[in-house]
């Protein structure tokens, strides 16, 4: 896919004057002044809006899209604390206190899936990891009512320190309609069984239960694995092995456990973190990965390159106002007049989530 550079605005600051330039993101300009040093400050994309604050520590967002009226869609964000919660926001960034869930024990990541059969009814769900209880919690959408009988234990039988401390989660729905949770933890083995995949189903009484179906995923042992994202349409799962890169596998357990790609191995100051997938056309678009300590996102082609769908070269880097962004989420579906090209959400370490217009992140020429 041919991608043009986004014409960003860069500011040239010197001791003598301030000069405004227009240049492409990533373009190198070598200039010299005889009596002063020159500092280049790249364009920082500002959010369209910032949400209400949560009590403790924002970590990861998910988007639930109302299929009847997309303007009523919701954002669900984790408040990562031993007395944390799932906080629900409307598209104005205002907290829905009635639907927000409190008193969760360090909820880390959250994801959304559509159309789970519960008591014969198609039900959308939000699932979060609850680190201190070693359980996932499942809530119906848009009501945010628990449908998990108090939580579902994960990594049962693991005894090493940190091996049951839940972190990342991503939901996958296959073509047959089966829904799976792919779950990560604070630390784990380096024998390609770091992630565990569970099939979620109704127990016949409207309660979600889980069955372990797969253990997979390489882990470097360097830092940790938190960010996990699934591309349902293409059938891939991606996860950030922090400080190493993004690993790619098939999401379908029947397709095996071979690693398909390891990319985003450089161009990060420190940690590669949150992963979001933006669709332009069928199986094409962009993968956004948080360059956490740089307050920016690196962008890669979703479809790979011609002849190699598993080669994901860096397209560009975009700096944002969100600081130390850990979790992120994006959709390309039009939501309302303000978010005509979808919505990109980045967690910021000041207890908020930032809502961005994707066209400003990706550039008009990329849409």
């Amino acid at each position: 896919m041919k991608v043009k550079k986004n014409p960003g605005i860069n500011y040239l600051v010197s001791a003598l004057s301030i000069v405004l330039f227009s240049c492409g993101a990533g373009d190198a300009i070598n200039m010299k002044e005889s009596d002063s040093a020159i500092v280049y400050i790249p364009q920082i994309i500002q959010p369209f809006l910032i949400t209400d604050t949560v009590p403790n520590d924002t970590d990861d967002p998910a988007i639930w899209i109302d299929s009847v009226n997309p303007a009523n869609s919701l954002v669900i964000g984790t408040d990562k604390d031993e007395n944390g919660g799932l906080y629900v926001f409307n598209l104005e960034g205002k907290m829905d206190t009635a639907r927000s869930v409190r008193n969760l024990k360090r909820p880390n990541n959250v994801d959304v899936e559509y159309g789970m059969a519960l008591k014969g009814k198609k039900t959308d769900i939000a699932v979060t990891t609850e680190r201190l209880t070693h359980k996932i919690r499942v809530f119906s959408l848009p009501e945010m009512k628990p449908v998990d009988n108090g939580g579902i234990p994960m990594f049962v039988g693991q005894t090493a320190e940190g091996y049951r401390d839940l972190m990342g989660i991503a939901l996958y729905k296959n073509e047959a309609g089966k829904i799976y949770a792919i779950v990560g933890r604070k630390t784990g083995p380096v024998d390609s069984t770091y992630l565990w995949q569970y099939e979620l189903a109704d127990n016949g009484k409207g309660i979600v239960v889980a069955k372990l179906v797969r253990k997979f995923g390489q882990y470097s042992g360097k830092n940790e694995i938190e960010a996990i994202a699934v591309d349902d349409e293409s059938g891939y799962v991606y996860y950030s092995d922090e400080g190493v890169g993004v690993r790619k596998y098939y999401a379908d357990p029947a397709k095996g456990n071979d690693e398909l790609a390891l990319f985003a191995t450089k161009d990060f100051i420190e940690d590669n973190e949150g992963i979001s997938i933006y669709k332009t056309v069928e199986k094409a678009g962009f993968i956004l990965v948080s360059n956490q300590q740089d307050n920016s996102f690196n962008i890669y082609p979703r479809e790979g390159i011609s002849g190699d769908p598993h080669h994901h070269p860096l397209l560009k880097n975009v700096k944002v106002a969100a600081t130390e962004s850990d979790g992120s989420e994006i959709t390309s579906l039009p939501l309302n007049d303000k978010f005509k090209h979808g919505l990109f959400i980045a967690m910021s370490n000041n207890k908020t989530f930032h809502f961005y217009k994707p066209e400003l992140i990706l550039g008009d020429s990329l849409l």
Side-chain angles (χ1 to χ4, degrees), residues 113-118 121-125 138 147 173 177 179 199-202 208-209:
E113 193 53 271
Y114 299 85
M116 169 167 274
L118 289 178
K121 180 183 177 181
K122 295 292 184 181
T123 304
D124 301 339
I125 57 172
V138 186
V147 288
K173 185 178 182 180
I179 294 176
E199 182 180 345
L200 304 182
D202 186 357
V208 177
V209 293

Side-chain angles (χ1 to χ4, degrees), residues 108 129-135 154-155 158 160-168 183-187 194 225:
N108 217 105
T129 51
E130 196 175 36
R131 189 188 300 183
L132 300 184
T133 66
H134 314 309
K135 296 177 180 179
M154 298 280 106
F155 297 105
Q158 298 284 277
E161 183 177 357
Y163 276 36
R164 295 195 66 196
D165 293 347
L166 305 188
M167 292 191 72
V183 187
R185 48 237 173 115
K186 183 70 175 176
T187 190
Y194 194 96
I225 292 170

Side-chain angles (χ1 to χ4, degrees), residues 294-326:
D294 190 49
N295 299 331
S296 68
F297 285 82
N298 287 345
I299 301 175
Y300 306 86
R302 177 188 179 209
E303 67 275 26
I305 63 173
S306 179
D308 188 353
H310 305 312
H311 179 51
H312 303 276
L314 177 69
L315 298 176
K316 69 172 186 173
N317 169 270
V318 177
K319 290 190 178 294
V320 296
T323 53
E324 293 280 329
S325 188
D326 195 349

